[in-house]
Amino acid sequence: MSSFRKALKSQQRNHQERSQPGFRKQLGFLEKKKDYKLRADNYHKKQNTLNALRKKAALKNPDEFYYKMISTQLKDGVHVKKEEPEVVTDEQRKIMRTQDIKYVEMKRVAEARKIERMKSELHLLDADGKLKNKHTFFVDTKKEVKRFNLAKHLNTAPELLDRVYNRPTLETLEGKSVQGATRPFEIQKLARLRKHQYTLLSQRVEREKKMFVVGQKIQARKDLLDKTKKVKVKKETTNAPAIYKFKAQRKR
């Protein structure tokens, strides 16, 4: 019988609650049963929480004590653990600073080695911002200046005059075939790859500079731990540490 009832229910038409009639639109949204259920559950959940808190307050032991009452404090209505004062001696701080300096210096040296390796591969021949070399030609008269043909003088093709490296002569072009990429899309791909490598190189150079500045600032903070009279000469900036002048002291 139960299976028969389930089979009948599967063929029944689902009950659809009607929406707000047109002449009652001014009264707002017509609440459905699912909306009422959510509102009722929320209300009962809050009431149960309040009842539990009232019961807990009524049954509270006035002599109750536990150790977190000492180790915590109330901030914005929330119990937060008190911060214990850090007990570190000056010698321990110096050792920690030294370890930080060694770590930063190790990373900086590794970055510098990567930069040197990339420079040896790229050669920085046509990098942006690189100072271009000047090649001066001397002639005797002004007429020769007007008639001067740079391509003919260098014995190369006019299309290769803008290149600062690998500028073959006409005899070399006639006697040997062109090696490497010759198709336009291959040349563009190599140019994009070279530009990407130059971008990575500039980022590594900037990172190495930042690490050097960080190492200097850590060293300056380490020097300040010494109990020696000092005067600040220059304030700390983003690119340089603060400069202090220490009183000369004879060490035995």
Side-chain angles (χ1 to χ4, degrees):
M1 290 297 291
S2 61
S3 60
F4 181 69
R5 280 198 301 270
K6 290 179 181 178
L8 285 178
K9 285 184 178 180
S10 64
Q11 297 178 358
Q12 287 179 356
R13 185 177 181 181
N14 291 331
H15 173 66
Q16 300 289 341
E17 292 188 82
R18 69 171 186 170
S19 59
Q20 186 75 279
F23 67 92
R24 292 172 59 88
K25 288 289 184 183
Q26 72 276 6
L27 300 177
F29 177 72
L30 180 61
E31 188 181 46
K32 308 293 191 299
K33 184 177 180 181
K34 60 178 182 179
D35 304 320
Y36 162 76
K37 189 75 170 61
L38 292 173
R39 185 167 58 82
D41 289 343
N42 184 32
Y43 172 77
H44 289 303
K45 182 179 178 182
K46 291 178 181 178
Q47 290 297 319
N48 292 336
T49 304
L50 290 173
N51 292 333
L53 290 173
R54 290 191 189 100
K55 184 178 180 181
K56 189 175 182 180
L59 299 177
K60 182 180 178 182
N61 182 8
D63 298 328
E64 183 181 1
F65 171 80
Y66 56 97
Y67 284 100
K68 280 203 173 181
M69 290 180 176
I70 301 173
S71 61
T72 58
Q73 58 184 355
L74 203 63
K75 285 186 178 179
D76 299 329
V78 181
H79 285 279
V80 182
K81 191 174 181 180
K82 291 181 180 178
E83 296 181 0
E84 298 180 358
E86 187 180 6
V87 182
V88 183
T89 62
D90 293 339
E91 286 295 326
Q92 290 173 345
R93 284 197 186 92
K94 284 184 180 180
I95 293 172
M96 287 190 289
R97 297 286 185 192
T98 305
Q99 291 176 349
D100 294 342
I101 292 171
K102 288 181 179 178
Y103 176 76
V104 173
E105 185 63 21
M106 180 189 69
K107 287 293 184 181
R108 190 192 67 80
V109 171
E111 204 69 38
R113 287 176 181 172
K114 291 178 182 178
I115 290 170
E116 291 299 325
R117 194 181 303 119
M118 291 187 72
K119 283 183 178 179
S120 64
E121 294 174 357
L122 295 173
H123 303 294
L124 298 178
L125 293 173
D126 54 353
D128 296 335
K130 187 182 185 319
L131 182 63
K132 303 294 184 181
N133 296 328
K134 292 183 179 180
H135 193 168
T136 306
F137 297 94
F138 295 93
V139 292
D140 296 330
T141 61
K142 292 183 179 181
K143 290 182 180 180
E144 292 182 9
V145 175
K146 295 179 181 180
R147 293 181 300 180
F148 187 77
N149 190 347
L150 184 58
K152 185 177 180 181
H153 185 80
L154 295 175
N155 193 22
T156 186
E159 293 81 3
L160 302 177
L161 291 177
D162 295 334
R163 303 186 69 174
V164 295
Y165 65 97
N166 193 15
R167 189 191 295 144
T169 59
L170 293 175
E171 289 80 3
T172 305
L173 292 173
E174 292 174 359
K176 295 183 179 180
S177 59
V178 178
Q179 297 180 355
T182 55
R183 298 178 183 177
F185 73 92
E186 292 179 350
I187 296 173
Q188 292 177 1
K189 183 178 179 181
L190 289 175
R192 287 196 300 269
L193 181 61
R194 184 168 61 251
K195 185 178 179 181
H196 177 64
Q197 292 293 327
Y198 282 138
T199 304
L200 290 179
L201 178 59
S202 62
Q203 291 175 355
R204 289 192 181 277
V205 170
E206 190 66 26
R207 198 178 302 129
E208 193 267 340
K209 289 180 181 178
K210 289 180 180 178
M211 287 183 181
F212 180 72
V213 173
V214 169
Q216 284 186 326
K217 290 184 178 181
I218 294 174
Q219 182 64 43
R221 286 173 173 78
K222 180 188 172 186
D223 295 338
L224 290 176
L225 295 175
D226 294 333
K227 295 180 180 179
T228 309
K229 191 175 181 181
K230 48 194 169 288
V231 179
K232 184 182 280 189
V233 179
K234 192 175 181 180
K235 293 183 179 180
E236 182 178 335
T237 61
T238 54
N239 298 323
I243 299 175
Y244 291 86
K245 185 177 181 182
F246 291 84
K247 183 181 178 181
Q249 200 174 35
R250 182 181 177 185
K251 293 185 178 181
R252 297 179 180 178

